[in-house]
């Protein structure tokens, strides 16, 4: 069987780089994209010159101005960046269509079967970097490895304008000295827990006694952590990123303004949507409440959160807020629905967001969700219908 090989392509301080390219006078200056000085927002991206002053994404702009008063502060132009993004992805598609774009400036691609056409992964990575440089005047960092998360680590390690190709037999040595915070999905709480066990590097995690780790974090998580520490992880490239939204609606037999009934329906619908998100490895930033009134008019209200999630409970909290705010108790509705969109940094990556976008780390919730998903797989989703949604068919 063919061994997978994955490249991770990540543009270097993308928004700032586009501005520097288009405006040579600011090229050697600290360039900060995001909120403007005097406002309450944060940095979404800054160049390396600005990082020398201690600036980084998500920093409040007020603090940035104190640290770097002479910086060039720009609001940014999302339309321009997304046009550039399309051009970058078009360049990647000249090599293969097995590409998974994960944000405006980041993508994974499978290159193991391109040998005859384009050469080794290293040759392909070099060609990609060269094309992006020549055609767009921008630099990309590229990492390559047999699994996704290692390729991402590799592209990050040599930034900017980096290239690091990791062979299967080199993965463990590459990971060993790195901080465990580099592992995907661990979050700050997860790191803290491992730190308390004296585990700081990925190498020390790998050598930790299995029984001790199981006792500390549970069997499932221990297994996952050992896998990661040994360089075992996802290799699949999901080329279908067509799902722009995941939603579900429910139509009542009779119009209703029964608040409790509506709320329970929403809870049930949210559970279902969240489970589908988790099954597809999607996290959403935008939550939408939809309802149809007696006159058949559709209404919807949505909220974009400053984090992304696929937790049933968090999604429900958000949609419930919309429900309480916007659907008045007098309104009779025929249909109610909940939807999610803006998946996995679709608007922007976490490094480059105009609005800082991070997964909300809540391990407890995500473990409950994982457990529920497993039961659902085994016994069918009906097992899991929230006990409170009992009136589904007798309204
Ligand atoms: Mg980037």
């Amino acid at each position: 069987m063919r061994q997978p090989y994955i490249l991770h392509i990540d543009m270097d301080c993308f928004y700032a780089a586009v501005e520097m390219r288009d405006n040579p006078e600011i090229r050697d200056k600290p360039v900060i994209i995001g909120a403007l000085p005097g406002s309450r927002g944060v940095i979404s991206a800054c160049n390396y010159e600005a990082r020398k002053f201690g600036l980084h994404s998500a920093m409040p702009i007020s603090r940035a101005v104190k640290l770097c008063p002479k910086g060039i502060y720009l609001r940014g132009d999302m339309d321009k960046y997304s046009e550039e993004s399309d051009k970058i992805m078009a360049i990647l598609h000249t090599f293969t269509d097995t590409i998974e774009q994960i944000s405006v400036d980041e993508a994974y691609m499978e290159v193991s079967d391109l040998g005859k056409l384009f050469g080794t992964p290293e040759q392909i990575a070099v060609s990609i970097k060269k094309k992006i440089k020549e055609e767009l005047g921008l630099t990309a960092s590229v990492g390559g490895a047999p699994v996704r998360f290692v390729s991402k680590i590799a592209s990050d390690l040599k930034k900017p304008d980096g290239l690091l190709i990791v062979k299967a037999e080199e993965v463990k040595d590459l990971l060993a000295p790195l901080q465990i915070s580099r592992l995907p999905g661990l979050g700050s709480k997860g790191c803290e827990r491992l730190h308390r066990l004296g585990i700081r590097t990925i190498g020390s995690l790998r050598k930790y006694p299995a029984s001790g780790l199981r006792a500390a974090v549970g069997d499932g998580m221990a297994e996952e952590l050992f896998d990661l520490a040994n360089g075992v992880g996802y290799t699949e490239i999901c080329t279908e990123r067509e799902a722009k939204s995941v939603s579900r609606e429910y139509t009542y037999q009779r119009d209703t303004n029964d608040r409790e009934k509506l709320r329970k329906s929403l809870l049930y619908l949210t559970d279902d949507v969240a489970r589908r998100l988790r099954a597809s490895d999607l996290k959403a930033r935008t939550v939408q409440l939809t309802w149809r009134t007696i006159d058949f008019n559709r209404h919807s209200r949505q909220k974009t959160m400053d984090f992304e999630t696929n937790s049933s409970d968090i999604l429900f909290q958000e949609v419930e807020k919309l429900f309480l705010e916007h659907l008045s108790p007098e309104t009779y509705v025929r249909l109610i629905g909940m939807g999610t969109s803006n998946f996995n940094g679709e608007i922007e990556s976490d490094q480059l967001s105009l609005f800082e976008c991070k997964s909300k780390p809540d391990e407890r919730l995500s473990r409950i969700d994982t457990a529920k998903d497993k039961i659902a797989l085994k016994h069918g989703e009906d097992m899991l219908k929230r006990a409170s949604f009992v009136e589904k068919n007798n309204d």
Side-chain angles (χ1 to χ4, degrees):
M1 207 184 82
R2 181 172 57 85
Q3 291 293 312
Y5 200 87
I6 292 148
L7 295 183
H8 178 254
I9 293 91
D10 185 14
M11 302 301 292
D12 302 319
C13 44
F14 181 49
Y15 299 168
V18 172
E19 298 301 339
M20 286 153 72
R21 178 198 66 187
D22 294 349
N23 196 350
E25 306 90 89
I26 66 172
R27 204 163 280 169
D28 304 319
K29 300 190 173 134
V31 177
I32 300 100
I33 316 285
L36 294 180
S39 73
R40 286 163 54 91
V42 298
I43 296 180
S44 38
C46 60
N47 65 359
Y48 290 92
E49 212 49 51
R51 290 179 204 187
K52 288 182 191 163
F53 291 82
L55 272 53
H56 55 77
S57 63
M59 177 184 277
I61 218 73
S62 52
R63 177 158 170 72
V65 173
K66 277 186 202 134
L67 292 171
C68 184
K70 292 197 171 151
I72 309 290
Y73 289 85
L74 301 170
R75 191 70 195 94
D77 179 348
M78 282 311 291
D79 289 341
K80 180 158 85 172
Y81 307 144
S82 86
E83 249 174 60
E84 291 301 313
S85 172
D86 289 347
K87 292 180 198 160
I88 294 159
M89 297 305 150
I91 289 176
L92 301 186
H93 276 280
T94 61
F95 293 88
T96 177
D97 285 328
T98 315
I99 290 174
E100 180 176 334
Q101 182 177 354
I102 53 172
S103 76
V104 71
D105 78 319
E106 235 179 297
Y108 289 105
M109 57 198 280
E110 160 63 56
V111 297
S112 59
D113 54 357
L114 302 180
K116 282 193 189 118
L117 280 172
F118 300 108
T120 64
E122 175 151 19
Q123 288 166 331
I124 294 168
V126 169
S127 311
I128 288 170
K129 283 168 60 70
K130 191 162 170 261
K131 268 193 159 184
I132 291 176
K133 180 92 211 218
E134 284 174 1
E135 292 177 26
L136 305 177
L138 297 168
T139 63
S141 291
V142 181
V147 291
R148 288 169 63 124
F149 86 91
V150 181
S151 72
K152 187 172 165 74
I153 290 175
S155 73
D156 195 50
L157 281 175
K158 299 286 176 182
K159 268 183 170 299
D161 204 9
L163 171 61
L164 180 59
I165 296 295
V166 189
K167 292 187 188 129
E169 62 270 24
E170 298 167 344
V171 168
K172 283 188 194 176
D173 287 345
L174 176 89
L175 294 178
L178 302 178
Q179 294 294 307
I180 47 168
S181 55
R182 293 222 176 236
L183 294 176
L186 206 46
S188 54
K189 280 185 196 161
C191 286
E192 272 169 39
R193 283 169 77 183
L194 295 182
H195 287 166
R196 281 200 291 274
L197 300 174
I199 301 172
R200 298 209 159 256
T201 64
I202 300 176
S204 63
L205 169 61
R206 189 163 70 221
K207 288 188 206 130
Y208 202 82
S211 55
L213 193 63
R214 284 199 204 103
V217 302
D219 290 357
M221 192 169 175
E223 205 178 304
E224 218 170 285
L225 286 171
F226 280 129
D227 273 352
L228 291 173
N230 281 292
V232 176
Y234 285 107
T235 57
E236 250 163 80
I237 300 296
C238 170
T239 52
E240 296 292 321
R241 283 268 151 184
E242 280 161 16
K244 292 281 181 211
S245 66
V246 173
S247 60
R248 187 157 173 200
E249 298 174 342
Y250 183 72
T251 305
Y252 297 100
Q253 308 279 311
R254 279 189 294 275
D255 307 316
T256 181
N257 71 340
D258 180 332
R259 303 293 278 180
E260 201 41 32
K261 182 188 274 184
L262 290 166
R263 201 181 148 274
K264 283 172 181 170
S265 303
L266 267 182
L267 186 56
Y268 171 75
L269 297 171
T270 305
D271 260 352
D272 184 63
V273 166
R275 183 163 50 245
R276 280 154 61 202
L277 291 179
R278 294 192 294 271
S280 312
D281 211 7
L282 293 171
K283 289 184 177 179
R285 275 190 63 200
T286 301
V287 170
Q288 178 168 301
L289 172 72
T290 306
W291 67 96
R292 207 173 70 202
T293 40
I294 316 174
D295 53 13
F296 282 93
N297 280 327
R298 264 183 105 92
H299 306 261
S300 66
R301 289 288 183 283
Q302 63 176 45
K303 185 191 169 188
T304 296
M305 304 171 283
D306 55 8
F307 54 87
E308 48 187 34
T309 184
N310 54 20
S311 149
S312 302
D313 285 8
I314 294 172
L315 287 169
F316 181 68
Q317 282 164 21
E318 297 301 329
V319 78
E320 190 185 29
K321 277 185 217 157
L322 291 171
F323 170 72
L324 295 172
E325 262 171 50
H326 299 291
L327 219 164
S328 84
E330 293 82 51
T331 310
Y332 276 79
V333 307
R334 172 52 68 96
L335 166 152
I336 195 155
M338 92 77 71
T340 53
S341 55
N342 281 327
F343 301 131
N344 296 12
E346 206 167 67
I347 302 181
E348 63 278 300
S349 71
D350 56 10
Q351 186 203 343
L352 297 157
S353 55
L354 283 181
F355 324 87
E356 179 66 0
C357 171
K358 285 260 160 74
S359 291
K360 193 168 192 178
D362 193 328
E363 287 175 73
R364 186 187 64 81
L365 287 177
S366 95
R367 275 204 308 278
I368 294 171
D369 285 335
T370 308
K372 283 196 297 194
D373 293 346
K374 279 184 183 157
I375 298 170
L377 265 181
K378 249 188 205 156
H379 304 287
E381 67 175 84
D382 283 353
M383 277 287 290
L384 279 169
K385 276 182 188 150
R386 296 248 187 190
S388 52
F389 190 72
V390 289
E391 302 155 304
K392 187 173 166 251
N393 292 312
N394 45 344
D395 51 58

